[in-house]
Amino acid sequence: MNVNRPFSWRDLLRLPQGAAISIETVALLVGTAFFVVGFLVSIFVFWGRQLEIVGPGSIGTYASIGGAIVAVLSALLGRLGVRPGRRVIHSDGLALRDDRLRWYDVAAIALAYAATALLGWEGIAALLARSFTDAPVFAFPGAILVAVAFALTAYICFLSVVSLTPMSLSLVLAVFLVVGAFASMLTATDAHWWQDNLSALGMASNDSSWIFNGTLIVAGVIVTTIARYATAGLSIEAPKEARGRRLVRIGMILIGIFLTCVGIFPVDAFFIVHNTVATGMTVAFAGLVIALPWILPAISKVFVALGYAYVAVIALLAVFFATGYYNLTAVELIAAVLIFSWIIVFLRAAEDVSSVPAGAQITP
């Protein structure tokens, strides 16, 4: 060690000056820090108490809410670690040549991790409560369990955030949508909400409204983020290519904006606006799919055919609904699955186009 240089954390980790720390090392350090903090806070809160596994003031509620906070903090730390100009961890997998993450993008990503952690730990607590019926939890083991939950949340979220790529971001969106949808269904006040439509979950009369509407708002922001990354690598050397990339990006951003507006304007309070933006999202998707071969000629013909099949299925579902064969909930659920699966697959198709040299011929 150079005696003329002040001691730093790099000396503690035995790293040479200017070297980058491995992702795994930093993730373990973050997880350890949250374990220590979680244990100290939990033992102070739990001391002298006998806790339930689930319910108000239970260890499950404490772990799920605390886990959501830890997920947000870990996600923000991860994004700070890969900021441009910082060689603390490694380069950012979401770095764009002509764009960057905005604050609302980072906020949406962090909220997606937080919601997944919140609902995930709540579900695990409910499962444990069924397995250990009426079992009490004492202060010390309760504090250890909560600290472990916080450490795992911090480790997984940090490791995932610093390794984000456009494809993994789309998978985060998919997991978040599934978790949010099922959580809103399970907590719905009206057990027969499905007899109306999917948007009934967002009505003020349902306890699930804040989960459902919040899921749509955050998901819409993430879709607009994915829109930029899905098109970032497309060629813009020729004016036609630049215009095509711009139109594809606008189409996907419109889908994200309409999705956000579906959550902002619940159907019971803003009936006309809600239905307008919901229809607009479907129209924007269909228009993008139909126009794709002309605005992005290099895209795989197989992917184009897949998109046409998706649009045809959605149109067929609309006919089934109009004739009374399907209810609106079935149509909305299937259409949502088709739209978001298309967005995920489009990332791969666009990546294949981006990897082909300019002027090369694309085979289907």
Side-chain angles (χ1 to χ4, degrees):
M1 182 185 303
N2 187 354
V3 294
N4 296 322
R5 183 170 57 84
F7 183 80
S8 69
W9 52 268
R10 291 185 179 277
D11 298 319
L12 181 63
L13 297 174
R14 300 185 183 279
L15 289 171
Q17 187 67 21
I21 315 173
S22 71
I23 301 174
E24 186 70 25
T25 300
V26 181
L28 288 171
L29 290 173
V30 171
T32 301
F34 277 106
F35 177 88
V36 174
V37 173
F39 175 78
L40 294 177
V41 174
S42 300
I43 197 67
F44 175 78
V45 174
F46 296 164
W47 192 254
R49 296 173 55 194
Q50 184 172 295
L51 305 167
E52 301 292 334
I53 298 178
V54 294
S58 66
I59 186 174
T61 301
Y62 185 87
S64 59
I65 296 176
I69 297 173
V70 169
V72 170
L73 296 176
S74 301
L76 295 179
L77 284 174
R79 295 311 307 168
L80 287 175
V82 293
R83 286 179 60 188
R86 294 176 179 263
R87 294 178 54 84
V88 179
I89 304 175
H90 71 154
S91 60
D92 185 7
L94 291 180
L96 290 177
R97 64 188 180 189
D98 59 351
D99 208 345
R100 59 182 177 82
L101 282 179
R102 275 81 167 187
W103 66 267
Y104 51 82
D105 296 323
V106 177
I109 293 171
L111 286 175
Y113 280 97
T116 305
L118 172 72
L119 300 173
W121 288 119
E122 191 69 34
I124 292 174
L127 179 62
L128 289 174
R130 289 180 176 270
S131 302
F132 300 91
T133 306
D134 299 326
V137 181
F138 298 102
F140 184 80
I144 292 292
L145 290 174
V146 168
V148 170
F150 288 1
L152 281 175
T153 302
Y155 174 78
I156 294 172
C157 290
F158 185 90
L159 202 59
S160 176
V161 167
V162 300
S163 304
L164 274 180
T165 62
M167 179 56 65
S168 62
L169 181 60
S170 68
L171 296 179
V172 170
L173 171 65
V175 172
F176 171 64
L177 282 171
V178 170
V179 171
F182 276 106
S184 58
M185 293 175 192
L186 293 173
T187 57
T189 305
D190 181 9
H192 298 96
W193 61 268
W194 54 271
Q195 294 178 350
D196 297 321
N197 51 61
L198 190 62
S199 298
L201 290 171
M203 293 181 179
S205 57
N206 264 329
D207 291 343
S208 63
S209 61
W210 68 273
I211 300 176
F212 181 78
N213 294 328
T215 298
L216 295 182
I217 293 171
V218 173
V221 177
I222 296 178
V223 169
T224 61
T225 304
I226 291 175
R228 300 204 309 275
Y229 286 99
T231 57
L234 298 177
S235 175
I236 55 174
E237 294 180 1
K240 184 177 180 180
E241 293 175 335
R243 185 177 70 253
R245 189 185 82 158
R246 184 169 59 254
L247 291 174
V248 172
R249 181 174 292 185
I250 290 173
M252 295 189 67
I253 289 176
L254 281 176
I255 294 174
I257 292 174
F258 283 138
L259 180 61
T260 299
C261 290
V262 171
I264 293 175
F265 302 105
V267 67
D268 55 336
F270 306 93
F271 180 78
I272 296 178
V273 177
H274 178 91
N275 287 340
T276 300
V277 294
T279 304
M281 182 177 69
T282 305
V283 171
F285 169 74
L288 177 60
V289 170
I290 294 172
L292 197 61
W294 289 273
I295 61 179
L296 195 60
I299 198 73
S300 167
K301 301 301 185 293
V302 175
F303 178 73
V304 171
L306 176 69
Y308 285 175
Y310 277 16
V311 172
V313 170
I314 293 175
L316 181 62
L317 290 173
V319 173
F320 285 165
F321 168 70
T323 57
Y325 186 72
Y326 275 2
N327 72 353
L328 186 55
T329 303
V331 176
E332 290 176 327
L333 277 174
I334 298 174
V337 170
L338 292 177
I339 291 174
F340 288 108
S341 63
W342 184 89
I343 291 174
I344 293 173
V345 178
F346 177 75
L347 280 167
R348 293 292 302 170
E351 185 178 322
D352 287 342
V353 173
S354 303
S355 62
V356 176
Q361 295 295 321
I362 307 293
T363 57

